Coordinates of all heavy atoms in Angstrom, one line a residue:
L1 N -39.9 -248.4 100.6 CA -39.6 -247.1 100.2 C -40.5 -246.6 99.1 O -40.3 -245.4 98.8 CB -38.1 -247.0 99.8 CG -37.1 -247.1 101.0 CD1 -35.7 -247.3 100.4 CD2 -37.1 -245.8 101.7
G2 N -41.2 -247.4 98.6 CA -42.2 -247.0 97.5 C -41.5 -246.8 96.2 O -42.0 -246.1 95.3
M3 N -40.4 -247.5 95.9 CA -39.7 -247.3 94.7 C -40.4 -248.0 93.5 O -40.1 -247.6 92.3 CB -38.4 -248.0 94.8 CG -37.3 -247.3 95.6 SD -35.7 -248.0 95.7 CE -34.7 -246.9 96.6
F4 N -41.4 -248.9 93.8 CA -42.2 -249.5 92.6 C -43.6 -249.0 92.7 O -44.5 -249.8 92.1 CB -42.0 -251.0 92.8 CG -40.6 -251.5 92.8 CD1 -40.0 -251.9 94.0 CD2 -39.9 -251.6 91.6 CE1 -38.7 -252.2 94.0 CE2 -38.5 -252.0 91.7 CZ -37.9 -252.3 92.8
A5 N -43.9 -248.0 93.4 CA -45.3 -247.5 93.6 C -45.6 -246.3 92.8 O -44.7 -245.5 92.5 CB -45.5 -247.2 95.1
D6 N -46.9 -246.1 92.5 CA -47.3 -244.8 91.8 C -48.1 -243.9 92.7 O -48.7 -243.0 92.2 CB -47.9 -245.2 90.5 CG -49.2 -246.0 90.7 OD1 -49.6 -246.3 91.9 OD2 -49.7 -246.6 89.7
D7 N -48.2 -244.3 94.0 CA -49.0 -243.5 94.9 C -48.1 -243.0 96.1 O -48.6 -242.8 97.3 CB -50.1 -244.3 95.4 CG -49.7 -245.5 96.3 OD1 -48.6 -246.0 96.1 OD2 -50.6 -246.1 97.0
N8 N -46.9 -242.8 95.9 CA -45.9 -242.5 97.0 C -45.9 -240.9 97.1 O -45.3 -240.2 96.2 CB -44.5 -242.9 96.6 CG -43.6 -242.8 97.8 OD1 -43.9 -242.1 98.8 ND2 -42.4 -243.4 97.8
E9 N -46.5 -240.4 98.2 CA -46.6 -239.0 98.4 C -45.2 -238.3 98.5 O -45.0 -237.2 98.1 CB -47.4 -238.6 99.7 CG -46.7 -239.2 100.9 CD -47.6 -238.8 102.2 OE1 -48.1 -237.7 102.2 OE2 -47.7 -239.7 103.0
Y10 N -44.2 -239.0 98.9 CA -42.9 -238.5 99.1 C -42.2 -238.2 97.7 O -41.3 -237.4 97.6 CB -42.0 -239.4 99.9 CG -42.5 -239.7 101.3 CD1 -42.5 -241.0 101.7 CD2 -42.9 -238.7 102.1 CE1 -42.9 -241.3 103.0 CE2 -43.4 -239.0 103.3 CZ -43.4 -240.3 103.8 OH -43.9 -240.6 105.1
D11 N -42.8 -238.7 96.6 CA -42.2 -238.4 95.3 C -42.5 -237.0 95.0 O -41.8 -236.4 94.0 CB -42.8 -239.3 94.3 CG -42.4 -240.8 94.3 OD1 -41.3 -241.0 95.1 OD2 -43.1 -241.7 93.8
Q12 N -43.3 -236.4 95.7 CA -43.7 -234.9 95.4 C -42.9 -233.9 96.2 O -43.1 -232.7 96.0 CB -45.2 -234.7 95.6 CG -46.1 -235.8 94.9 CD -45.8 -235.9 93.5 OE1 -45.7 -234.9 92.7 NE2 -45.7 -237.2 93.0
I13 N -42.0 -234.3 97.1 CA -41.3 -233.4 97.8 C -40.3 -232.6 96.9 O -39.5 -233.2 96.2 CB -40.4 -234.1 99.0 CG1 -41.4 -234.8 100.0 CG2 -39.5 -233.1 99.7 CD1 -40.7 -235.6 101.0
P14 N -40.4 -231.3 96.9 CA -39.6 -230.5 95.8 C -38.2 -230.2 96.3 O -37.9 -230.2 97.5 CB -40.4 -229.2 95.8 CG -41.0 -229.0 97.2 CD -41.4 -230.5 97.6
Y15 N -37.4 -230.0 95.4 CA -36.0 -229.8 95.7 C -35.8 -228.5 96.5 O -34.8 -228.4 97.3 CB -35.3 -229.5 94.3 CG -33.7 -229.3 94.5 CD1 -32.9 -230.3 94.8 CD2 -33.2 -228.0 94.3 CE1 -31.5 -230.0 94.9 CE2 -31.9 -227.7 94.4 CZ -31.0 -228.8 94.7 OH -29.7 -228.5 94.9
E16 N -36.7 -227.6 96.5 CA -36.6 -226.3 97.1 C -36.6 -226.4 98.7 O -36.2 -225.4 99.3 CB -37.7 -225.3 96.7 CG -37.5 -224.7 95.3 CD -37.6 -225.7 94.2 OE1 -38.3 -226.8 94.4 OE2 -37.1 -225.5 93.0
V17 N -37.0 -227.5 99.2 CA -37.0 -227.6 100.7 C -35.6 -227.7 101.3 O -35.4 -227.5 102.4 CB -37.8 -228.8 101.2 CG1 -39.2 -228.8 100.6 CG2 -37.1 -230.1 100.7
N18 N -34.6 -228.0 100.4 CA -33.3 -228.2 100.9 C -32.7 -226.8 101.5 O -32.8 -225.8 100.8 CB -32.3 -228.6 99.8 CG -32.4 -230.1 99.5 OD1 -32.0 -230.9 100.3 ND2 -32.9 -230.4 98.3
A19 N -32.2 -226.9 102.7 CA -31.6 -225.8 103.4 C -32.6 -224.6 103.4 O -32.2 -223.5 103.2 CB -30.3 -225.4 102.7
S20 N -33.9 -224.8 103.6 CA -34.9 -223.8 103.7 C -34.6 -223.0 105.0 O -34.0 -223.5 105.9 CB -36.3 -224.4 103.7 OG -36.5 -225.2 104.9
A21 N -35.3 -221.8 105.0 CA -35.2 -221.0 106.3 C -35.6 -221.7 107.5 O -35.0 -221.6 108.5 CB -35.9 -219.7 106.0
E22 N -36.7 -222.5 107.3 CA -37.3 -223.3 108.4 C -36.3 -224.3 108.9 O -36.1 -224.5 110.2 CB -38.6 -223.9 108.1 CG -39.3 -224.7 109.2 CD -40.5 -225.4 108.7 OE1 -40.8 -225.3 107.5 OE2 -41.2 -226.0 109.5
H23 N -35.6 -225.0 108.0 CA -34.7 -226.0 108.4 C -33.5 -225.4 109.0 O -32.9 -226.0 110.0 CB -34.3 -226.9 107.1 CG -35.4 -227.6 106.6 ND1 -35.4 -228.5 105.4 CD2 -36.8 -227.8 107.0 CE1 -36.5 -229.0 105.2 NE2 -37.4 -228.6 106.1
E24 N -33.0 -224.3 108.5 CA -31.8 -223.6 109.0 C -32.1 -223.1 110.5 O -31.2 -223.2 111.3 CB -31.4 -222.5 108.1 CG -30.9 -222.8 106.8 CD -29.5 -223.6 106.7 OE1 -29.0 -223.7 107.8 OE2 -29.2 -224.0 105.7
A25 N -33.3 -222.7 110.7 CA -33.6 -222.2 112.0 C -33.6 -223.4 113.1 O -33.3 -223.2 114.2 CB -35.1 -221.6 112.0
L26 N -34.0 -224.6 112.6 CA -33.9 -225.8 113.5 C -32.5 -226.1 113.7 O -32.2 -226.6 114.9 CB -34.7 -226.9 112.9 CG -34.8 -228.2 113.7 CD1 -35.6 -228.0 115.0 CD2 -35.4 -229.4 112.9
S27 N -31.6 -226.0 112.8 CA -30.2 -226.2 113.0 C -29.7 -225.3 114.1 O -28.9 -225.7 115.0 CB -29.4 -226.1 111.7 OG -28.1 -226.2 112.0
L28 N -30.0 -224.0 114.1 CA -29.6 -223.1 115.1 C -30.1 -223.5 116.4 O -29.4 -223.5 117.5 CB -30.1 -221.7 114.7 CG -29.8 -220.6 115.7 CD1 -28.3 -220.4 116.1 CD2 -30.4 -219.3 115.3
K29 N -31.4 -223.8 116.5 CA -32.1 -224.2 117.8 C -31.3 -225.5 118.4 O -31.1 -225.5 119.6 CB -33.5 -224.6 117.5 CG -34.3 -225.0 118.8 CD -35.7 -225.3 118.4 CE -36.5 -225.7 119.6 NZ -38.0 -226.1 119.2
A30 N -31.0 -226.4 117.5 CA -30.3 -227.6 118.0 C -28.9 -227.2 118.5 O -28.5 -227.8 119.5 CB -30.2 -228.6 116.8
A31 N -28.3 -226.4 117.8 CA -26.9 -225.9 118.3 C -27.0 -225.3 119.6 O -26.2 -225.5 120.5 CB -26.3 -225.0 117.3
E32 N -28.0 -224.3 119.8 CA -28.1 -223.7 121.1 C -28.4 -224.7 122.2 O -27.8 -224.5 123.3 CB -29.3 -222.7 121.0 CG -29.0 -221.5 120.1 CD -30.2 -220.6 119.9 OE1 -31.4 -221.1 120.1 OE2 -30.1 -219.5 119.4

């Protein structure tokens, strides 16, 4: 999982992606 690494690109994923408009649109598509 890269917990002991200093080159983990996933460490840079920002909090703002949560429930973004793009993600919500995918939820609607999946429901349909």
Side-chain angles (χ1 to χ4, degrees):
L1 284 163
M3 288 184 176
F4 305 100
D6 56 11
D7 63 341
N8 189 347
E9 61 179 323
Y10 300 135
D11 290 343
Q12 308 308 314
I13 296 176
Y15 181 76
E16 284 70 22
V17 302
N18 281 294
S20 66
E22 180 183 1
H23 294 180
E24 297 288 354
L26 183 63
S27 176
L28 173 59
K29 179 181 179 181
E32 291 171 344

